Structures are given as C-alpha cells and as structure tokens.
Amino acid sequence: MTPLERAGTVAVWTVAGAVVLFMLAPLAVVMAVSVSASPVFTLPPPALSFRWYERLLTLRDLWPAARVSVEVALLSTAVSLVLGTLCAIAVDRGDFRGRSAIVTFAVSPLMMPGLVVGVALLQALRDVGLRDAYASLLIGHVVITLPYVTRTVLASLSLFDFSLIDAARTLGYSYPRALGKVMVPVLAPAFLTSGLFAFLASMDNYPISLFLTDARTKTLPIQILRYLEERPDPTVAAISSGLIVLTIVVLLLADRLVGLRRLAEV
Amino acid sequence: MRGRRPAAVSLLAAPAAVYLLVAFAAPLLVLLATSVVTPTGLSATGYVRFLSDPFGWKVLANSLRAAALTTTICLLVGYPVAVALVRARGAVQSLLLVSLILPLSVGAVVKAFAWTILLRSDGLVNQILVLTGLTAEPVRLLFTESGLVLGAVNIFLAFMVLPIYSVLRQVDPSLLAAAATLGSGPLHRFLHVTLPLTMPGVVAGVAFVFSMSVSMYVIPTLLMGDRYQTLSTLIARSYLFMRDRSLGSTVAVVLLAIAVVVVVLSGLLARSPRRTAVS
C-alpha cells in the first residue's frame, strides 16, 4: 500500500466512524432526555425518572393523533401495494409506448416538494368540496406511498424470469395459480420492504399532513409539532422515544425477514 | 426471452396512472393556474410582486444557500461513507447500515427536535467543541445557519450515501487492478476510474439531497424560528396564517420550478455518455 492509499483508507474510516456517532447522536439524546428528571433538557440527566412517560397517558390529543397516523399509514400502504404492483406488472410485461414515462410519473411525487403537493391537494380538495380531513389525508398519503411500492416492485420484477410461469403452466398449473405459487413468493421481499418504507413514510409525513389535518383530525407528527410550538418539554422526547423504539422493532423484523443490506438498496 | 405479453396487461397501469393524474398532477396544474389567474384575467403580477420585493429574494436566497451548503457537505462526507460501506464486512457493515437506515426511518420532526437539544449553548455539540478546544467558549448554534445546515446534513445524509453505495459496490475491482497495472496511481485511479463510474449515484444523491433540502420546512421552523424564512415556511405561512392564497401559490410554483429543474438536470446528467461506461 502506498502512503497515499493508506492516508485514504484512514480518512475513509475516520469519516465513517464520526458519521456513525453523528447519525445516532440525535436518537440517543432524545432517549436520554426522555428518562431525565430535569424539565429543561439537561444532559447528562441529573436523575432518572419516568415522569414524562407517565404524562403521556394524560395527554388527551396524543392518542387520537397516534391512532389516525397508524390507520392512515396502514390504509394508504395497502392501497399503494395494490396500485403500485399492478402498475409495475403493466410496465414490466406490457407492450405499450411511454412505459418509461409512466415510471417517471409514478415515482415523481418523491421528487416534488411535499409542501407544494400538500398545498395543491388542499386547494383541489376544497374546490371539489371535500372537507373531511380523514379522507383528504388518505388521498394525500397514497400519493406519497405509491412511489415506494412501484419502484421497488418494478426493480424486483425486472429480475424475475417469467419463463418460470410458463414452466409452471406446462406442469399443469393454471395461470393465476402459477402466479400465486411462483411469482408471489419471489416478490414477497419487495412487498415487504416497499410496504415497510411506505408505512414509515406515511407515519412520518408532515408536509402534506400539515395542510390536510384540521382541529379534530391530526396526525402524530403534526401533533408533536404543535406540542413543540406550545410548550417544549421532555414529554415530546418520551413520544419520540416511543416512535424510535417502534422503528427499531419494525427494522429488526425486516432484517430478520429480508436482511439489512436489501433494505439499503431501496 | 420473454413469454407471452397479453395486451390487457398494459391496462393494469391504468388505476395508478389515473389516481396520480387526479390526486397529484391535476392539483399541481390547478395550483399553477391559481398563481397566474386574477379576477381580471391572466397576469404574472404575483411573480412580479414576489420577485421585485427584496424580501422575496431574501427568502429565495435563504433556501438556495442552505440547500447548496447541505448538498455540498453531504457529498463530501457521504462519498467516503459509501466507500466504507462497500469495504466493510460483517458487524462493521451492519453498524454502518443501521446508523444510516435507522435515522432514515425516524421522522424528521423527531430528529429536528433532537437537534434543538443538541445545538443548545449547553448542548452536546458545544460540549464537544469546548472539550476538543475548537472553541474556548460555547458558541451560539441554535437559530444560526450553521446549526440549520448541521441538522439538515444529519437528516439528509443517508439520501446521499445510499445511491452512491448502490453504484459503487457494482464497480468491477478488476478495472482498478488493470488501471494500477498500467501505472495509474491511487488518486488518478479514483479520479479517472472510480469517480466517473459512480457518477450516476452521485447525480442521484445530489438531486435527492438538493431537492429535499431546498424545500425543507420542519428543520428551519424548529432550528431557526420565525425570523428566518425559506420558500417552504413562507408557503405554509401564507396559507395557514396570512390566508394569502395568491402569495402562497406563487411561492409554491417557484419552489416547484426549482424541483422540476433539479429532476430534469439530473435526468440529463444520468443519461450522459458516462453512464454507458458502467454497463
């Protein structure tokens, strides 16, 4: 190894080490603050206390918001899995012009500023007379979850050998049965990873929800933002820690099922 | 060789396409229309008003500056991390992946809140600065552009690392070995083999990070407060507080235009001849 190469290697690992700390520090700090007895974010915590977690139970607006978030995330992910998979199959198997345009279009909500999409949707929904916040949220969240599914399922389909379906049919399977027995298991990891990222994207979304929520129907990130503006205290850290733990559990499950490296390829 | 291709398969794209046309494309077109339609007809007054106002330029400059700084730092830090991710094995690789994917899956609101704690004058960042002797006294970070960019880099870094990583790990090591045999030094090899081959990943990462950081809302709201406006915070203010639909839609279209330029440019760059070098 030349000195220059050695210097490069040292630099790469130094940066990587620093980045690990830099990336995990915010999560660690939130969790540390949430179990601190001090109300003013003093670190390290002067004494341990679970009082902020106890306060969570008394927050009236929190639980309905959490419920709305989970419901909207589950429903929009389910809708996106169906629409996105159908779209991916059409693009991969279909024989029409403009297939790449369809893909670009289907993925484009990810590249557009969320706030602009939210404002546009708010205005359009008000123009057609839809004022129900729950329905509006659902419509908006399908727009932002659909790209994750379309992109991932399409990538997975392009690696799938469709002659396997023909082979299964030669062996006596009907077309739908061949799809179910051969294609679905191969695509299962794609469904799982894209569904996971769609779910998390919906749970965490604030730029679209910001405009589509109303006084009665709020999502969790909007409610947290509200608490932060009103009275920032470690209760928010307790909520956040809950979300971090939930994310860790979901990722551990995903790691078990498809592996971390595969998640990085989304 | 592909099997049968029934024409009906193409129709399966219809539900998603129609959905996005109605719930995504049409609202954006309506927004565009709102920004140029006045009671007396078509007019660009909104844009003239926004761009002739020094405040408008200030807001635009704030957004572009913060996004450019964030993207540059993400690229400089992210590339080495992608290299480390390719070279790492076993537990080290898992640790690196976890430190990128876990924060990616935690919401921006939670992370921005964390940075309000980290950046306080008695916060962790200041403790490190004083401890390492970089500064004698704690410095003001919260409500400064440095603090904003630090938080933004933290939140968007993974979007730079992962696209570069996915291209970098496909670079054939024998190409580098061949270059070395031909007498090319490490720096020359990086600049003339690795970097050109990984350009698609760099372009994708830069496009992701720039388009996200130019439109960030929650990070400036929590780390900068009301006195610092970006395009996004101004849009939210005009709709939610000032009830000024005309200003809001104008700023929204300006932001949309920036995003479209980024997408088109990155599309063009990704299609440039360099791309063929990868395959």
Side-chain angles (χ1 to χ4, degrees), chain A residues 2 4-5 9 12-13 15-16 19-20 22-27 29-30 33 40-41 43 83 86-87 89-90 92-96 99 102 105-106 108-109 111-113 115-117 119-124 127 138-139 142-143 146 151 158 166 169 175 197 200 204 206 210-211 221 224-225 228-229 236-237 240 243-244 247-248 251 260-261 263-265, chain B residues 2-5 9-10 12-13 15-17 19-21 23-25 27-28 30-31 34 77 80-81 83-84 87-88 92-99 101-110 113-115 117-118 120 124 127 150 153-154 157 162 165 169 186-187 189 207-208 211 215 217-218 221-222 232 235-236 239-240 245 252 255-256 259-260 263:
Chain A
T2 66
L4 190 59
E5 274 177 306
T9 305
V12 160
W13 290 110
V15 172
V19 161
V20 169
F22 174 64
M23 294 303 283
L24 296 178
L27 309 187
V29 160
V30 165
V33 164
V40 290
F41 307 118
L43 281 175
L83 292 184
L86 291 179
C87 182
I89 292 176
D92 190 71
R93 301 298 293 156
D95 204 7
F96 57 100
R99 280 183 297 156
I102 288 267
F105 181 50
S108 63
M111 297 300 286
M112 293 297 124
L115 219 65
V116 176
V117 177
V119 163
L121 204 52
L122 170 79
Q123 207 164 302
D127 288 349
L138 206 50
I139 293 173
V142 171
V143 171
L146 192 52
R151 194 172 59 178
S158 64
D166 297 333
R169 296 197 66 205
Y175 193 62
F197 274 92
L200 290 173
D204 297 338
Y206 67 87
L210 187 66
F211 296 102
I224 297 178
L225 214 49
L228 285 175
E229 277 159 2
V236 176
S240 304
L243 286 173
I244 294 170
T247 311
I248 293 175
L251 288 181
L260 260 185
R261 280 195 47 185
L263 288 182
E265 286 155 24
Chain B
R2 296 230 151 153
R4 51 178 226 158
R5 289 184 174 218
V9 160
S10 308
L12 295 179
Y19 185 85
L20 286 178
L21 274 179
F24 171 67
L28 287 178
V30 172
L31 181 80
T34 323
V77 175
V81 175
V83 172
R87 290 190 189 171
V92 179
Q93 192 185 41
S94 298
L95 178 67
L96 270 171
L97 279 175
V98 165
S99 66
I101 296 177
L102 175 60
L104 189 68
S105 317
V106 173
V109 176
V110 169
F113 161 65
W115 280 97
I117 304 171
L118 281 163
R120 290 153 60 97
L124 198 60
Q127 289 182 14
L150 196 61
V153 166
N154 179 263
L157 184 63
L162 294 178
Y165 164 66
R169 69 196 184 92
L187 188 64
R189 284 206 298 277
F208 269 133
S211 58
S215 59
Y217 167 80
V218 86
T221 304
L222 293 179
S232 283
I235 296 170
Y239 274 91
L240 300 175
R245 243 169 102 149
L255 185 53
L256 190 63
V260 170
V263 171

Side-chain angles (χ1 to χ4, degrees), chain B residues 163-176:
Chain B
I164 298 178
Y165 164 66
S166 72
V167 182
L168 195 61
R169 69 196 184 92
Q170 290 170 29
V171 171
D172 188 348
S174 60
L175 286 177
L176 293 171

Side-chain angles (χ1 to χ4, degrees), chain B residues 24 45 56 69 75 78 80 101 114 133 138 149 159 165 180 189 192 246 254 266 277:
Chain B
F24 171 67
T45 335
L69 283 169
L75 180 59
I101 296 177
V149 171
F159 293 98
Y165 164 66
R189 284 206 298 277
H192 294 273
S246 130
V254 170
S266 65

Side-chain angles (χ1 to χ4, degrees), chain B residues 124-234:
Chain B
L124 198 60
V125 175
N126 261 316
Q127 289 182 14
I128 290 173
L129 285 179
V130 174
L131 209 68
T132 53
L134 284 172
T135 56
E137 297 270 296
V139 287
R140 190 180 148 88
L141 288 166
L142 208 50
F143 308 118
T144 67
E145 198 180 43
S146 316
L148 175 75
V149 171
L150 196 61
V153 166
N154 179 263
I155 290 173
F156 299 127
L157 184 63
F159 293 98
M160 183 67 82
V161 177
L162 294 178
I164 298 178
Y165 164 66
S166 72
V167 182
L168 195 61
R169 69 196 184 92
Q170 290 170 29
V171 171
D172 188 348
S174 60
L175 286 177
L176 293 171
T181 320
L182 295 171
S184 153
L187 188 64
H188 188 268
R189 284 206 298 277
F190 175 74
L191 291 176
H192 294 273
V193 182
T194 314
L195 193 58
L197 285 174
T198 50
M199 230 30 208
V202 171
V203 169
V206 166
F208 269 133
V209 173
F210 190 86
S211 58
M212 281 186 290
S213 52
V214 81
S215 59
M216 57 188 173
Y217 167 80
V218 86
I219 311 170
T221 304
L222 293 179
L223 298 186
M224 295 298 272
D226 286 343
R227 286 187 22 230
Y228 176 93
Q229 294 286 321
T230 63
L231 295 170
S232 283
T233 58
L234 187 58

Side-chain angles (χ1 to χ4, degrees), chain A residues 62-124:
Chain A
L62 178 68
W63 300 103
R67 198 179 140 177
V68 168
S69 268
V70 171
E71 283 178 9
V72 167
L74 284 176
L75 285 171
S76 58
T77 302
V79 173
S80 289
L81 275 173
V82 174
L83 292 184
T85 304
L86 291 179
C87 182
I89 292 176
V91 169
D92 190 71
R93 301 298 293 156
D95 204 7
F96 57 100
R97 292 175 64 190
R99 280 183 297 156
S100 68
I102 288 267
V103 177
T104 310
F105 181 50
V107 179
S108 63
L110 278 189
M111 297 300 286
M112 293 297 124
L115 219 65
V116 176
V117 177
V119 163
L121 204 52
L122 170 79
Q123 207 164 302

